[in-house]
Amino acid sequence: MKILTVIGARPQFIKAAPVSREIRKHFKEIIVHTGQHYDENMSNIFFEELNIPKPDYNLNVGSGKHGEQTGNMLIKIEEVILKEKPDAVLVYGDTNSTLAGALAASKLLIPVIHVEAGLRSFNKAMPEEQNRVLTDHISDLLFCPTETAVKNLKSEGIEKGVYNVGDVMFDSILYNIEIAKKKSNILERLGLKEKEYILVTIHRAENTNYKEKLINIFNALKDSNEKIVLPLHPRTRKFINDYGIEVGQNIEIIEPVGYLDMIMLELSAKKILTDSGGVQKESYFLDVPCITMREETEWIETVEDGWNVLVGSDYEAILNAIRFFMPKGEKHDYFGNGHSSERIVEIINRTLQK
């Protein structure tokens, strides 16, 4: 059986690494990289560190408006599918690459496999929410990371082909954490000491596209007087410059880092502030308090357990969380046992094998 895997953004590379390892034990895999993330620090380094096979196709779509980007991907992915004639197309998460891959396959009557299905923020203004809802409704196999995701799908009338397999990002953390401890020297390079800094990531449009929100965030970071380490996403850097935001002297901006360095920065941080879904989970996996700069989250389990708090872009809420938030609850095994990838491949083999 031949599976065509579509990836294009940093979070998808992390998810694809453990699944691809398992797929290639049983099937032929064709990897299509859309080029949605194309910067060296956002793409190539992940393939090298995570030992993801070199893509068979790189579509080089690059950045652009949502419609333009998704449309260009759709055209090019369709061409690859027609050439390769796969038995199924596998997509991850909730990016434009996800939706383009799913649409191209569905219109050609090729089964769609969606890894990380069923997530919902219930905020339709988020492009990611639109992508994940549409993808789920045209998928044939829906691999959910949590029971909450299964319930979300059921409430929308999607029950066939739905499986709670656990979270492949948990697989990836367990596989790579000891490797990161041995190979990464990011703390030494930056002169950081464990639990003496706060790690911050900001990239979501709901924060970056609004000057007042981004100013609030940076003012709270500055006024915290904490040592802040901020691997800066290219689009966030652009908005900081466009808005003329003054970055506090306590904030150390660095280039985006690879996966192994990111694990060590997360593991060693006192707290983490983020608007990233993946970083919220990694904080939870690594027992680090997380402050989420959003009004809602797909990963409600981390909030319910008391290890994550939602603060939006409110200056006072962010500052108070930096100063006072500490985990209150006991963690639970919401995200599986670290063998999600094996479970996914076993189900694919059982349900789609010809």
Side-chain angles (χ1 to χ4, degrees), residues 92-340:
Y92 293 89
D94 53 23
T95 70
N96 290 342
S97 299
T98 309
L99 180 58
L103 279 172
S106 181
K107 288 178 179 292
L108 292 171
L109 305 182
I110 305 292
V112 177
I113 304 166
H114 187 198
V115 174
E116 202 176 78
L119 296 191
R120 296 293 183 268
S121 68
F122 303 101
N123 178 1
K124 289 288 183 66
M126 288 177 60
E128 296 89 348
E129 183 79 351
Q130 298 169 18
N131 290 340
R132 63 172 72 108
V133 170
L134 292 168
T135 298
D136 282 340
H137 279 266
I138 57 174
S139 292
D140 298 273
L141 285 177
L142 300 99
F143 293 121
C144 299
T146 64
E147 191 57 36
T148 300
V150 174
K151 292 176 181 176
N152 288 339
L153 292 175
K154 186 175 181 179
S155 72
E156 296 174 17
I158 304 174
E159 296 185 69
K160 184 180 178 182
V162 175
Y163 299 89
N164 180 6
V165 296
D167 198 313
V168 297
M169 288 189 72
F170 189 40
D171 294 18
S172 196
I173 281 282
L174 293 179
Y175 184 88
N176 286 287
I177 188 166
E178 294 304 322
I179 298 173
K181 288 177 180 177
K182 291 177 183 176
K183 290 191 173 183
S184 173
N185 64 351
I186 186 75
L187 298 186
E188 291 81 359
R189 295 203 315 266
L190 297 178
L192 299 173
K193 294 182 180 179
E194 289 188 22
K195 306 303 178 183
E196 291 189 6
Y197 65 91
I198 290 175
L199 179 67
V200 179
T201 76
I202 312 165
H203 79 282
R204 293 234 182 230
E206 62 199 80
N207 285 324
T208 60
N209 289 10
Y210 300 92
K211 182 177 181 179
E212 183 179 353
K213 289 185 176 182
L214 207 54
I215 288 174
N216 284 345
I217 290 169
F218 273 92
N219 282 344
L221 295 178
K222 178 183 67 175
D223 293 346
S224 73
N225 293 318
E226 293 277 358
K227 169 68 175 178
I228 304 290
V229 177
L230 173 57
L232 195 58
H233 193 286
R235 66 189 304 276
T236 309
R237 184 186 295 274
K238 175 184 180 301
F239 282 109
I240 290 172
N241 292 333
D242 289 350
Y243 299 151
I245 292 176
E246 183 180 344
V247 177
Q249 293 184 347
N250 61 318
I251 301 172
E252 181 173 0
I253 290 179
I254 63 174
E255 292 297 316
V257 298
Y259 184 57
L260 299 182
D261 281 346
M262 190 62 179
I263 289 177
M264 289 309 299
L265 284 175
E266 290 171 339
L267 179 65
S268 305
K270 178 162 58 174
K271 294 179 182 178
I272 294 175
L273 277 80
T274 190
D275 57 12
S276 160
V279 174
Q280 289 176 59
K281 285 188 298 177
E282 288 167 348
S283 303
Y284 185 83
F285 300 154
L286 296 170
D287 301 329
V288 180
C290 185
I291 301 164
T292 296
M293 296 177 288
R294 290 176 54 194
E295 301 295 337
E296 71 285 310
T297 181
E298 301 80 5
W299 305 107
I300 61 171
E301 298 86 356
T302 64
V303 176
E304 290 173 349
D305 271 5
W307 280 78
N308 187 6
V309 62
L310 304 178
V311 294
S313 58
D314 182 83
Y315 168 86
E316 291 292 344
I318 295 171
L319 195 57
N320 285 336
I322 291 174
R323 289 173 174 168
F324 305 117
F325 172 68
M326 289 301 293
K328 306 178 187 68
E330 181 181 340
K331 290 169 55 181
H332 296 83
D333 296 330
Y334 297 118
F335 299 97
N337 59 5
H339 297 282
S340 303

Side-chain angles (χ1 to χ4, degrees), residues 8-36:
R10 175 180 175 140
Q12 294 166 335
F13 309 146
I14 297 169
K15 294 163 193 163
V19 179
S20 181
R21 271 196 305 272
E22 289 302 317
I23 285 175
R24 288 169 182 253
K25 294 176 183 177
H26 303 273
F27 316 126
K28 179 177 176 61
E29 183 184 33
I30 303 296
I31 294 181
V32 178
H33 185 346
T34 65
Q36 183 171 343

